[in-house]
Amino acid sequence: MKNTILLITFCSAAFFAQAQGYDTAFGLRLGTEWGLTLKQRLAQRITAEGILQYSNRYKQTTITALGAKHFPLLVRNFNIYGGAGLHKGFVNIDGDDAPKDPFGLTFIGGAEISVGRINVSWDIKPSINVTGGEKTIYTHTGVSVRYIIDKRPLIEKKSEKEKERAKRQRQKRKAKRKKKRAKKKGVGEKGIKKKISIPKIG
């Protein structure tokens, strides 16, 4: 129920907010674990994310590296996304019965919106331990609030090319319209001259 309310909130914000994109964003992740998150945009719809988190339940610190593909929804900077990566954990328990440090695969899926300098996302993040860990499969959920450090310069560079191409296309269309008007004007002048011409008296 809480997750549904959060997604509805995202949708509402997407309609009424003046959204901004990002290239680099850093902040806090709160949920089943808490920690830090850094997101870097690699391409228009591709991001890399690094997460450093701590689980009080399992007494474990985990570093996760993820890649994700974004899909725009409703407006440009409201996205759903999905991806995968690797994680490495460090168990903070001493003793012979302590589990080994885990290593394995992590998957992620969620939604995010960027408004001004703030990026907010909700995600579900299942992890599979290939080695170590107290359990083989973990499922994490969390809300991340990030400050946008860098506003999409990579995308702006690409958009400049698109703007230049669009400008050339507008110039071509303008030249065609001008040529067409000049042609019509020429035909009209010939017609007028023909109409007012005085017949020869033989």
Side-chain angles (χ1 to χ4, degrees), residues 80-182:
I80 57 174
Y81 60 91
L86 300 172
H87 68 265
K88 173 62 179 176
F90 304 91
V91 178
N92 305 317
I93 302 174
D94 296 326
D96 297 334
D97 295 333
K100 294 181 179 179
D101 293 343
F103 172 79
L105 302 173
T106 296
F107 302 90
I108 192 168
E112 72 169 14
I113 186 170
S114 298
V115 182
R117 284 282 182 177
I118 302 300
N119 171 263
V120 182
S121 67
W122 170 88
D123 64 67
I124 181 168
K125 186 167 68 65
S127 300
I128 301 173
N129 287 328
V130 178
T131 61
E134 187 175 324
K135 296 168 61 178
T136 302
I137 299 175
Y138 298 82
T139 300
H140 314 292
T141 59
V143 174
S144 297
V145 181
R146 307 177 186 88
Y147 177 75
I148 297 174
I149 300 171
D150 197 1
K151 286 190 176 184
R152 318 178 67 143
L154 295 179
I155 295 178
E156 287 174 4
K157 287 178 183 177
K158 184 175 180 181
S159 66
E160 287 298 326
K161 293 181 180 179
E162 293 175 350
K163 288 178 182 178
E164 187 62 31
R165 185 163 56 248
K167 184 179 179 181
R168 288 196 298 268
Q169 290 174 349
R170 286 195 300 269
Q171 289 174 343
K172 287 181 180 179
R173 288 195 295 267
K174 187 176 180 180
K176 285 181 180 179
R177 288 195 297 267
K178 189 175 180 180
K179 187 177 181 181
K180 192 174 181 180
R181 285 195 299 268

Side-chain angles (χ1 to χ4, degrees), residues 39-112:
K39 261 193 172 182
Q40 175 65 47
R41 191 175 296 273
L42 304 179
Q44 187 169 6
R45 295 185 183 180
I46 303 294
T47 59
E49 181 177 10
I51 300 173
L52 174 64
Q53 63 188 31
Y54 178 75
S55 172
N56 190 53
R57 179 181 178 183
Y58 298 108
K59 306 299 180 185
Q60 177 179 302
T61 301
T62 305
I63 299 173
T64 307
L66 297 161
K69 176 75 177 287
H70 292 242
F71 303 92
L73 188 65
L74 301 179
V75 293
R76 187 185 66 179
N77 293 309
F78 179 50
N79 307 304
I80 57 174
Y81 60 91
L86 300 172
H87 68 265
K88 173 62 179 176
F90 304 91
V91 178
N92 305 317
I93 302 174
D94 296 326
D96 297 334
D97 295 333
K100 294 181 179 179
D101 293 343
F103 172 79
L105 302 173
T106 296
F107 302 90
I108 192 168
E112 72 169 14

